[in-house]
Amino acid sequence: MAHYFVGDIQGCFEELQLILAKVDFNPSKDELWAVGDLVARGNGSLQTLRYLKSLEASAKITLGNHDLHLLALNGNIKRPNPKDKLAELLSADDLPDLIAWIRKQPLVQTLPSHNIIMSHAGIPPQWDLATLLTEANAVSQALQQDDYIDSLIAKMYTDQADLWDSAATGLPRLRYCINALTRMRYLFADGSLDFKCKSPIQDKPPQLTPWFEFNSPLKQSHTLVFGHWAALMGVVNQPNMQALDTGCCWGEHLTLWHLETNEKIQQHKIKS
């Protein structure tokens, strides 16, 4: 079995098919691990979701901020942005089935045999593995509730849940987990999340530090796989880190990491 980890697809379905062909991906024996942000910006969000859903157990998904935003669009909490190119998906006959499938996907995936943790944006440096799994599972359970749109999706849009508080309960705790696992890039010195800066590290304000440069128990024991931060272009200069968002939807390329060979395969954006 081969394990392939792919960066933010964001509707770049044609590029996904081309990069999987390069490695002769076979879902009967291989697994595709996707770091989230499956939809938006590219032309093939509908095809991407249909394909990943069809892989069943051969696809391991973590949800990204764009995937959660799709749930908000479906629940009429937000209005579509034409730049996201989601009209075809939102009008598809099988949208309810695709939404139900997305709601079953977690915010974190682990591969214990190789000490790998995958999430969309990263892992809060304050968390150990037990905390990570507990908090992510709480969000997954909330997404499975019948009233998930009103109780969670409609209330998750806030920048106030920016600092981990182990004493917090209920919605504030869920909000922090979503913000950290799907939106995190830079942190302030106290570990609180910054939601504004997306700059490359060399251009960052001095008061901010990339989350992966903080001391963390999981950095020492696991390989952390994430996407979300296209400005990094895969460069983190940290051991046990795999940054896979390389901006395919912005005209750059899609990146696939082959675990067993430690090889990175790339597919440039197809010009339309």
Side-chain angles (χ1 to χ4, degrees), residues 4-25 32-35 37-38 44-45 47-55 59 61 248 253-256 265-270:
Y4 297 102
F5 293 74
V6 67
D8 300 37
I9 302 167
Q10 293 205 237
C12 295
F13 180 67
E14 185 177 1
E15 291 79 5
L16 176 64
Q17 293 300 293
L18 288 171
I19 205 169
L20 292 179
K22 289 181 177 181
V23 297
D24 295 322
F25 174 73
L32 180 62
W33 292 58
V35 300
D37 275 7
L38 312 175
S45 290
Q47 294 78 13
T48 297
L49 291 186
R50 284 173 173 170
Y51 174 70
L52 293 174
K53 181 175 180 289
S54 75
L55 294 180
I61 309 296
C248 186
H253 53 267
L254 192 65
T255 294
L256 192 74
I265 301 95
Q266 296 181 340
Q267 172 60 52
H268 287 286
K269 174 70 175 175
I270 302 300

Side-chain angles (χ1 to χ4, degrees), residues 208-226:
L208 298 178
T209 301
W211 68 267
F212 48 78
E213 292 187 2
F214 278 72
N215 290 327
S216 163
L218 291 178
K219 279 177 56 177
Q220 310 305 319
S221 59
H222 289 73
T223 296
L224 305 185
V225 181
F226 65 99

Side-chain angles (χ1 to χ4, degrees), residues 201-260:
I201 294 175
Q202 62 269 24
D203 299 328
K204 72 174 183 65
Q207 69 272 23
L208 298 178
T209 301
W211 68 267
F212 48 78
E213 292 187 2
F214 278 72
N215 290 327
S216 163
L218 291 178
K219 279 177 56 177
Q220 310 305 319
S221 59
H222 289 73
T223 296
L224 305 185
V225 181
F226 65 99
H228 183 59
W229 199 344
L232 296 176
M233 289 303 294
V235 178
V236 292
N237 295 319
Q238 292 278 323
N240 299 334
M241 293 276 178
Q242 293 291 342
L244 298 182
D245 183 6
T246 47
C248 186
C249 71
W250 304 114
E252 295 294 340
H253 53 267
L254 192 65
T255 294
L256 192 74
W257 175 50
H258 183 191
L259 169 62
E260 283 72 21

Side-chain angles (χ1 to χ4, degrees), residues 110-122:
T110 64
L111 184 59
S113 61
H114 291 75
N115 287 334
I116 288 177
I117 300 171
M118 180 178 75
S119 67
H120 178 60

Side-chain angles (χ1 to χ4, degrees), residues 2-246:
H3 297 86
Y4 297 102
F5 293 74
V6 67
D8 300 37
I9 302 167
Q10 293 205 237
C12 295
F13 180 67
E14 185 177 1
E15 291 79 5
L16 176 64
Q17 293 300 293
L18 288 171
I19 205 169
L20 292 179
K22 289 181 177 181
V23 297
D24 295 322
F25 174 73
N26 184 346
S28 68
K29 62 179 182 179
D30 302 327
E31 288 184 350
L32 180 62
W33 292 58
V35 300
D37 275 7
L38 312 175
V39 301
R41 303 296 181 177
N43 292 317
S45 290
L46 174 60
Q47 294 78 13
T48 297
L49 291 186
R50 284 173 173 170
Y51 174 70
L52 293 174
K53 181 175 180 289
S54 75
L55 294 180
E56 298 181 341
S58 296
K60 306 297 182 183
I61 309 296
T62 56
L63 296 179
N65 50 298
H66 280 285
D67 309 313
L68 293 176
H69 188 65
L70 175 61
L71 298 181
L73 293 175
N74 181 65
N76 295 316
I77 302 302
K78 294 286 185 176
R79 294 182 179 181
N81 181 344
K83 293 181 179 180
D84 285 338
K85 303 177 182 179
L86 292 175
E88 182 185 23
L89 171 57
L90 292 171
S91 62
D93 291 341
D94 56 343
L95 178 63
D97 291 336
L98 295 173
I99 292 295
W101 176 78
I102 288 173
R103 290 173 57 198
K104 294 177 182 178
Q105 307 311 310
L107 295 188
V108 65
Q109 294 272 10
T110 64
L111 184 59
S113 61
H114 291 75
N115 287 334
I116 288 177
I117 300 171
M118 180 178 75
S119 67
H120 178 60
I123 309 297
Q126 306 96 322
W127 285 2
D128 58 17
L129 182 59
T131 303
L132 169 64
L133 297 179
T134 297
E135 301 307 314
N137 184 61
V139 174
S140 294
Q141 290 182 355
L143 286 174
Q144 291 300 297
Q145 300 303 308
D146 292 339
D147 66 344
Y148 78 100
I149 293 176
D150 292 331
S151 64
L152 179 62
I153 299 300
K155 298 176 180 178
M156 71 178 179
Y157 287 97
T158 175
D159 291 347
Q160 301 306 308
D162 62 349
L163 184 62
W164 169 239
D165 179 4
S166 60
T169 60
L171 187 60
R173 197 168 182 126
L174 297 175
R175 283 170 166 169
Y176 175 80
C177 182
I178 290 172
N179 283 342
L181 297 186
T182 71
R183 300 177 64 194
M184 178 173 61
R185 291 186 179 95
Y186 287 110
L187 303 180
F188 291 96
D190 66 352
S192 59
L193 304 167
D194 168 75
F195 296 109
K196 297 180 180 180
C197 186
K198 301 179 182 180
S199 301
I201 294 175
Q202 62 269 24
D203 299 328
K204 72 174 183 65
Q207 69 272 23
L208 298 178
T209 301
W211 68 267
F212 48 78
E213 292 187 2
F214 278 72
N215 290 327
S216 163
L218 291 178
K219 279 177 56 177
Q220 310 305 319
S221 59
H222 289 73
T223 296
L224 305 185
V225 181
F226 65 99
H228 183 59
W229 199 344
L232 296 176
M233 289 303 294
V235 178
V236 292
N237 295 319
Q238 292 278 323
N240 299 334
M241 293 276 178
Q242 293 291 342
L244 298 182
D245 183 6
T246 47

